[in-house]
Amino acid sequence: MSVPDDGSVSWPKISPDTGSFWSDQGAQDPVIFKFPERVFIDKGVAFNGAFADVNMVGQSPLAMALHSWAPRDASLYASSGKGAMAIVGHTQTSDRTGWPALPTYTPAAIGVSGFSINDVTTGTLGQSWGLYGDAVRMPGAGFTVGAEITCANLGDNSALTPYNVKTGGANSGVTLWLASGSGLDAVGYPGPVNDVAAGLVFLSSFADDSARMGRGIVFDRSSIRGTDGATGAGTAIAFAKGHAIEWFNSSGSATSFVIGQATQAANAVGIQLDDNGLNVTDRTGGVGLRVAPGANLANHFLIQPSAAGSVPFIAVEGSDASVDFQIKPKGPAGLLQLGYYSGIATNPAGFTADRYIYIRQADGVALAIPCRLAGW
């Protein structure tokens, strides 16, 4: 292909390396490619490379207001003039080759990588991001996502559990892989590689907490294998033994929690919420306890455990001043059982009552059961 050399085609210049980064602080030839210091691509060539936001020439006022710091601080700045992808990275494992110096090593295929090291340990501490994505939805605009990560599995499904994640369970693919350590333990980093504070954190806006998430985590109705959101069941979150969901008070102290400590599936119990209420079940769905739903609830049970030397009890509470306590066996042959007898009534005919206890039948009739303070 021949290119006319008649001035109809302009070529970017390579300016000498001045050691400066911003055009208003010593960098040369601001509105051209400056390979020694900074590279501008597509619409990015309209940016003059200055530090000041107002010098972001060629960008829309909206981009200047929202994201001007990004091209200002970038060594490589590509702004798509087509409203499409500005930078794309692609690789595939079949192209990998071994290193002559390390014949047993083959590199991993990674489409795009971002690395950052926070090494400021004195004075004003620095901040560091390995990757950063920022999307802004304007009023009236449509679907907007800060980052989308997808993974397609064209092979067989693997059976992933919390105990085989690193040993083949994840072979069918993982859409988002959050790992601590950054591989420093594998390369022999000279020092401890400690725990990170958390694997995933949700934040409100730093300014005044006014911008928050509408939901923390949302699972699309058919995103989990086993259920379409109307029928079936599937595992949305899988924990290992001892993993807990924990709550904290405003002082940062741990308070409520839910934790699983069972070791045998036959002994495990779970909670199922359905139209029949709250059900405590086994793994097969057999119900051991049910709290039925109701409308306009006002009265309820209280189960109070106790310390050693005290008596636990079951009581009723509610807004009514007096609330009966009904224990109802099932069926015509169901009876109320109250422990074991403590003595034999040897002379019931000579029994003399000095106390009585009121109970109420299911039909509302009150009965008095005679009894006495001592045995007979």
Side-chain angles (χ1 to χ4, degrees), residues 320-339:
D320 293 341
S322 298
V323 183
D324 291 346
F325 189 161
Q326 182 181 105
I327 300 176
K328 185 168 62 175
K330 180 182 178 181
L335 298 177
L336 176 64
Q337 297 186 17
L338 297 174

Side-chain angles (χ1 to χ4, degrees), residues 88-94 96 105-115 131:
V88 173
H90 178 269
T91 183
Q92 57 192 60
T93 56
S94 60
R96 66 185 183 182
Y105 172 78
T106 52
I110 301 175
V112 176
S113 297
F115 298 90
L131 292 173

Side-chain angles (χ1 to χ4, degrees), residues 22-349:
W22 288 289
S23 62
D24 53 352
Q25 297 183 18
Q28 301 299 312
D29 301 321
V31 194
I32 60 173
F33 292 141
K34 302 179 302 160
F35 286 96
E37 291 146 2
R38 307 179 72 180
V39 180
F40 303 138
I41 299 173
D42 206 344
K43 286 177 64 177
V45 298
F47 175 45
N48 70 358
F51 177 84
D53 296 346
V54 295
N55 292 324
M56 191 175 159
V57 179
Q59 300 298 303
S60 69
L62 183 61
M64 292 175 61
L66 298 177
H67 297 137
S68 60
W69 61 271
R72 184 199 69 194
D73 295 352
S75 293
L76 170 64
Y77 174 45
S79 178
S80 173
K82 309 296 186 295
M85 290 179 282
I87 297 176
V88 173
H90 178 269
T91 183
Q92 57 192 60
T93 56
S94 60
D95 291 333
R96 66 185 183 182
T97 58
W99 290 13
L102 296 171
T104 60
Y105 172 78
T106 52
I110 301 175
V112 176
S113 297
F115 298 90
S116 177
I117 298 176
N118 190 342
D119 55 357
V120 176
T121 59
T122 59
T124 302
L125 300 181
Q127 295 178 329
S128 177
W129 281 260
L131 292 173
Y132 182 85
D134 189 325
V136 177
R137 177 182 180 269
M138 299 306 295
F143 181 65
T144 306
V145 176
E148 178 178 347
I149 301 174
T150 69
C151 179
N153 173 29
L154 303 183
D156 297 332
N157 291 325
S158 58
L160 177 62
T161 75
Y163 293 94
N164 67 1
V165 173
K166 300 177 182 177
T167 57
N171 280 353
S172 58
V174 176
T175 299
L176 183 60
W177 185 271
L178 302 177
S180 61
S182 300
L184 296 183
D185 52 345
V187 300
Y189 177 73
V193 182
N194 297 317
D195 300 339
V196 296
L200 183 64
V201 174
F202 294 89
L203 294 174
S204 59
S205 62
F206 280 104
D208 57 2
D209 291 336
S210 60
R212 295 170 291 179
M213 310 286 180
R215 299 285 188 275
I217 299 177
V218 176
F219 295 90
D220 179 62
R221 62 177 182 82
S222 58
S223 62
I224 303 300
R225 184 171 60 218
T227 178
D228 59 2
T231 60
T235 300
I237 301 177
F239 292 127
K241 178 181 178 296
H243 289 176
I245 300 175
E246 196 167 34
W247 286 262
F248 291 78
N249 62 20
S250 58
S251 300
S253 299
T255 55
S256 307
F257 65 94
V258 176
I259 187 170
Q261 294 285 19
T263 59
Q264 302 296 322
N267 299 331
V269 296
I271 296 175
Q272 176 177 307
L273 306 176
D274 56 29
D275 291 332
N276 292 319
L278 184 153
N279 304 278
V280 179
T281 73
D282 61 14
R283 294 290 303 184
T284 66
V287 178
L289 174 67
R290 180 168 72 92
V291 179
N296 303 318
L297 298 177
N299 303 319
H300 57 269
F301 284 104
L302 167 66
I303 300 177
Q304 177 64 63
S306 69
S310 300
V311 179
F313 62 85
I314 301 175
V316 289
E317 293 182 334
S319 59
D320 293 341
S322 298
V323 183
D324 291 346
F325 189 161
Q326 182 181 105
I327 300 176
K328 185 168 62 175
K330 180 182 178 181
L335 298 177
L336 176 64
Q337 297 186 17
L338 297 174
Y340 298 93
Y341 65 86
S342 58
I344 298 176
T346 58
N347 187 19

